[in-house]
Amino acid sequence: MPIDIEALRYPRGPMAVVTGASGALGAEITRQLIARDVFVVATYRTRPPAERPQGSLWERFDAADPATANHLRLVTEDLPHQLEAVFACAGAPSSKKTVADTDPGEFEEVYQANVVSFTAAWRALAARARYDGASVLAVGSDAGRAARAGNGPYSAAKAALEAVVATLAKEEANHRVRVNLAAPSLIDSPLARKVMASKGVTDPETYLAGLPWGRPLALDEVAAACIDLATARQWAYASGQVFPLQAAT
C-alpha cells in the first residue's frame, strides 16, 4: 500500500480554517484550537507571522486577489481532515473621523476588509464546509448595533456583516452548515490601543477603568467563547444568531 504523505504530515482529525489569523484574536483562536488538537489552516493578507506553530498551515488570502481564494479552496479540499469550523476574523477599523470628514474611499476599504473578505472566503470554502457540515463563526463587533459618533465606516460594515451572516444561515441550512456571529465589545489588543489613540484617548488606563467591569475583554476569553459557539454541542441548534460579548453590567 502506498504511503499517504499528506496523512503523515497532517494526521487525520478535525480541522478549522481561521481567516485573519495574523491578527491578535485570530492568532489566539488558532493557538487555542491547536491546543485542542485541531489542525488549523490559518490565513494572512500581507505577510506571514514570524513563528508558525506546529499543527497549522499558513496560506496567504486576500479578497482582492482571486488566485489566493482559489488556492485556499484547493488546499482545504486536499487535506485529509474533517472541516469542523471556519472562523472569519479578518477585518479593519476606520479612522474615527466624522462621516462628513471621511473620504468615500474609506467606506469602501473598510467594507472590503470586514464584509467582502468574509464572502470571498466563504466562496472558497463553501463546498468543503457543506460536505463536512462545518460551522461558521464570523467575528463582528458591538459597533454593528451601537453606532457611535466617528465610527461610521466601521459600524456600517459590521452591520452589513450581520446581514450577510443572517442570510447565509438561511441559505446553508439545508447543507447542515450553521452560521453565527460573535459581536465583542472592546478587546485588549495592540489594535485596540491604536484605535483608542485615534479617538484621542491620551490615558488608556483611565479610559479602560471607566468601562463597566473596569477592564476590556481579554483575548483568551473572547477566543474561547468563539470556539465554544462554533464547536460545542450545546450550541448545535444555533444558526443565524448574533452573540453579544460585552463587558457590561
Side-chain angles (χ1 to χ4, degrees), residues 113-213:
N114 291 280
V115 183
V116 177
S117 63
F118 174 68
T119 60
W122 177 246
R123 282 174 59 86
L125 301 169
R128 183 65 192 269
R130 290 167 177 170
Y131 182 83
D132 288 337
S135 172
V136 180
L137 194 285
V139 176
S141 169
D142 70 333
R145 298 189 177 187
R148 303 179 182 94
N151 209 26
Y154 187 71
S155 292
K158 291 304 188 183
L161 181 61
E162 287 192 17
V164 173
V165 164
T167 302
L168 198 63
K170 294 177 180 178
E171 293 175 347
E172 301 300 331
N174 289 339
H175 297 287
R176 301 177 299 113
V177 173
R178 297 189 301 113
V179 189
N180 292 295
L181 183 141
S185 56
L186 183 67
I187 303 174
D188 190 12
S189 69
L191 178 60
R193 301 279 173 162
K194 183 178 179 180
V195 169
M196 283 190 287
S198 69
K199 291 169 60 176
V201 176
T202 57
D203 186 353
E205 300 310 318
T206 299
Y207 177 85
L208 296 176
L211 295 176
W213 285 103

Side-chain angles (χ1 to χ4, degrees), residues 3-117:
I3 297 176
D4 187 341
I5 300 299
E6 287 299 312
L8 290 176
R9 290 179 61 199
Y10 311 120
R12 293 178 185 274
M15 173 176 70
V17 175
V18 180
T19 66
S22 57
L25 181 58
E28 179 61 21
I29 289 175
T30 298
R31 186 193 69 78
Q32 291 191 23
L33 287 169
I34 293 172
R36 300 183 184 203
D37 294 324
V38 177
F39 181 76
V40 178
V41 177
T43 79
Y44 62 94
R45 187 174 69 86
T46 54
R47 56 181 179 273
E51 297 183 4
R52 307 183 194 186
Q54 185 176 0
S56 63
L57 177 65
W58 289 79
E59 299 290 343
R60 180 173 175 268
F61 172 70
D62 185 342
D65 184 353
T68 63
N70 187 55
H71 182 69
L72 179 63
R73 176 183 65 80
L74 294 173
V75 167
T76 54
E77 289 182 355
D78 193 48
L79 288 168
H81 301 74
Q82 178 175 353
L83 180 59
E84 182 178 31
V86 175
F87 297 89
C89 303
S94 57
S95 64
K96 305 307 175 186
K97 298 177 182 178
T98 64
V99 172
D101 292 331
T102 300
D103 187 282
E106 182 179 328
F107 277 88
E108 295 180 6
E109 292 171 3
V110 175
Y111 186 85
Q112 287 278 337
N114 291 280
V115 183
V116 177
S117 63

